[in-house]
Amino acid sequence: MPPSALSKLQSAVTQVKQVNVLKSTQVEDSPAIKVCVRVRPFIKEEVEGQRSGGECKLCIDMPSETQVRILNFDDPDDDSRAFEFDRCYWSHSKDHPFFATQETLQTELGEIMLEHAMNGFNNCIFAYGQTGSGKSYSVLGGKDEERGLLPRVVEGLFDHFAKLPQGATYKTLVAFMEIYNEQIRDLLAPADSEIKKLEVKQHPVLGTIIPGLTEAAVASCEEVLNLVDYGTQMRHVSATAMNATSSRSHCIFTFKTSLTEPDQPSKVSQTHLVDLAGSERAGRTKATGDRLKEGAAINQSLSTLARVISELAKSAKTKKKPNPPFRESKLTYILKESLCGNSKTVMMAAISPNFTDYDETLSTLKFSQSVKQVQTKAVQNAVNMSSVEAQLRAELNALKSQLQAIQDPQASDELSFLKRQDREGGCFGLCHTGI
């Protein structure tokens, strides 16, 4: 059998196996990306002076759960600027009427993501903001009550699985990666293994994929949390003048679920939880050497993200087909589907309350406003496995016939002759059909 013919046949079999797995039904829901803002407390670097010279002046106000205002103390003539968002979380001081804890985020964001995942919808939440603004705290968090969205969502996922009706089955795969200096690193790879060069690819059926990235099958919450702890330890983190534990890479945790209930279509989903590295200014972080190179790579990818969002937001206004530069950054290429495709996406903008960070905070709020205009096309990923199995069997039988014809040309000619005689209704055909 010619190698080219075998290659085409193998490719056809692969596509047949994958066909209809992502058959979808359009959802009646708001297509816009949901944008939330969270205000953190003053941090040690601000109180002790390394970050702000010891001056802590609150420049953020939150008059309602959907509005934040930023105050400019340097210009008395400049009125406060107000910004409206889907939800605003005040975590600066506990005495505020809108004070929000880690549990608040889980109740209002995490539970909705889990509901979407269990019903076959793709999800994504990404935390954006300057360095030291509280992104990693919101996504990963600390211990016990300070746990972030990621561990809480994982715990909630297996709580949902435990409540499934009898006869229901589920499968879960998890992946954990970082984008460090525009290189994709597998955070679940063994520590002593050779570092593989991973690239983002576009698959005609599966969409954006990363061949070679570890996707671990898990059966319990403990297994997932152990993998999260392992991956977090492998991630690049360093100290700067702005942040003692500054993330030097973008981090993406993904879990894929497949849920099958009796007499119901199977539901598959993919959920991303993204902790972006923070934008930073070299003059303020006092970064040199490797830290300076890392900061440049971070800023470059965030700049590409800003241009992608700008292009998508412009398209939403003009109704013209956009042409965002997704491929100019590994981050935007991986998140392409989450930013404009099949996903229910949430952006968490983390901002500093200190007036020293006024310019960066104002920039984050303006960027968040543009994200509000971007729309996705969330669909339910449901498939009737019995019909797919029947279709796959039919396709497989057809492919077997084609393979037999390629391997035995003479038999193929005889089979074609017999079929022709059958169609013509000749004597030979009548005898053949009686056999």
Side-chain angles (χ1 to χ4, degrees), residues 10-36:
Q10 290 174 337
S11 177
V13 171
T14 301
Q15 292 186 23
V16 167
K17 288 181 179 180
Q18 294 162 344
V19 75
N20 285 337
V21 172
L22 297 179
K23 270 192 173 178
S24 313
T25 310
Q26 196 69 36
V27 199
E28 302 260 341
D29 201 357
S30 172
I33 292 179
K34 182 177 181 179
V35 179
C36 305

Side-chain angles (χ1 to χ4, degrees), residues 257-268:
T257 61
S258 174
L259 173 63
T260 304
E261 297 184 54
D263 303 320
Q264 294 289 331
S266 294
K267 300 168 186 173
V268 295

Side-chain angles (χ1 to χ4, degrees), residues 178-185 197 236 247-250 277 280 289-301 329-331:
E178 72 170 355
I179 304 173
Y180 175 72
N181 285 344
E182 275 302 291
Q183 298 296 318
I184 301 172
R185 293 184 66 247
K197 184 177 180 181
H236 284 82
S247 301
R248 312 311 294 165
S249 65
H250 305 303
E280 55 186 51
D290 290 341
R291 301 293 85 77
L292 185 62
K293 293 179 182 177
E294 292 165 355
I298 291 168
N299 288 341
Q300 182 179 356
S301 62
S329 166
K330 299 287 178 61
L331 172 67

Side-chain angles (χ1 to χ4, degrees), residues 18-60:
Q18 294 162 344
V19 75
N20 285 337
V21 172
L22 297 179
K23 270 192 173 178
S24 313
T25 310
Q26 196 69 36
V27 199
E28 302 260 341
D29 201 357
S30 172
I33 292 179
K34 182 177 181 179
V35 179
C36 305
V37 172
R38 190 180 194 187
V39 185
R40 64 159 173 78
F42 292 130
I43 57 176
K44 180 181 177 182
E45 288 78 10
E46 290 170 330
V47 176
E48 295 184 355
Q50 186 178 15
R51 179 179 174 119
S52 59
E55 183 180 13
C56 296
K57 187 184 293 186
L58 182 64
C59 70
I60 298 294

Side-chain angles (χ1 to χ4, degrees), residues 41 67 74 96 132 149 157-158 192 244 251 308 329 373 382 387 391:
Q67 186 184 78
D74 285 345
H96 196 281
L149 270 175
L157 177 67
F158 284 91
D192 56 352
C251 162
V308 166
S329 166
Q373 303 171 39
S387 65
Q391 183 177 355

Side-chain angles (χ1 to χ4, degrees), residues 38 102-103 105-107 110-111 113-114 125 135-160 174 176 220-229 232 251 253-255 271-275:
R38 190 180 194 187
Q102 298 284 65
E103 180 62 28
L105 265 65
Q106 171 62 16
T107 301
E111 287 299 329
M113 293 178 67
L114 287 171
I125 183 167
K135 300 178 301 299
S136 296
Y137 180 76
S138 292
V139 177
L140 297 169
K143 295 182 178 180
D144 301 325
E145 293 305 311
E146 294 191 355
R147 301 189 317 283
L149 270 175
L150 199 164
R152 290 174 185 268
V153 166
V154 169
E155 292 167 1
L157 177 67
F158 284 91
D159 285 343
H160 277 275
V174 300
F176 204 7
S220 69
C221 177
E222 290 72 21
E223 287 184 46
V224 181
L225 295 180
N226 287 337
L227 291 175
V228 172
D229 290 340
T232 303
C251 162
F253 178 85
T254 304
F255 65 85
T271 300
H272 295 306
L273 292 102
V274 186
D275 177 22

Side-chain angles (χ1 to χ4, degrees), residues 269-398:
S269 67
Q270 174 175 272
T271 300
H272 295 306
L273 292 102
V274 186
D275 177 22
L276 298 178
S279 58
E280 55 186 51
R281 298 181 182 180
R284 294 193 64 192
T285 60
K286 298 185 172 82
T288 58
D290 290 341
R291 301 293 85 77
L292 185 62
K293 293 179 182 177
E294 292 165 355
I298 291 168
N299 288 341
Q300 182 179 356
S301 62
L302 292 176
S303 176
T304 303
L305 174 62
R307 287 189 289 122
V308 166
I309 293 296
S310 176
E311 185 70 22
L312 292 172
K314 189 188 305 179
S315 170
K317 285 183 177 180
T318 62
K319 305 301 180 183
K320 293 182 180 178
K321 186 177 180 180
N323 186 27
F326 285 112
R327 293 175 182 248
E328 292 186 14
S329 166
K330 299 287 178 61
L331 172 67
T332 51
Y333 199 3
I334 292 172
L335 296 182
K336 177 181 178 181
E337 195 72 13
S338 298
L339 294 175
C340 68
N342 178 16
S343 175
K344 288 177 174 287
T345 301
V346 177
M347 172 187 165
M348 169 66 71
I351 59 175
S352 163
N354 200 349
F355 182 65
T356 308
D357 297 320
Y358 177 89
D359 291 338
E360 289 88 347
T361 298
L362 181 59
S363 175
T364 298
L365 292 174
K366 288 181 176 179
F367 175 76
S368 303
Q369 288 260 290
S370 63
V371 174
K372 283 176 59 178
Q373 303 171 39
V374 178
Q375 298 184 352
T376 59
K377 308 177 187 67
V379 294
Q380 186 183 41
N381 306 311
V383 56
N384 189 325
M385 295 309 294
S386 59
S387 65
V388 170
E389 183 179 357
Q391 183 177 355
L392 289 176
R393 288 186 182 279
E395 293 287 349
L396 185 59
N397 290 333

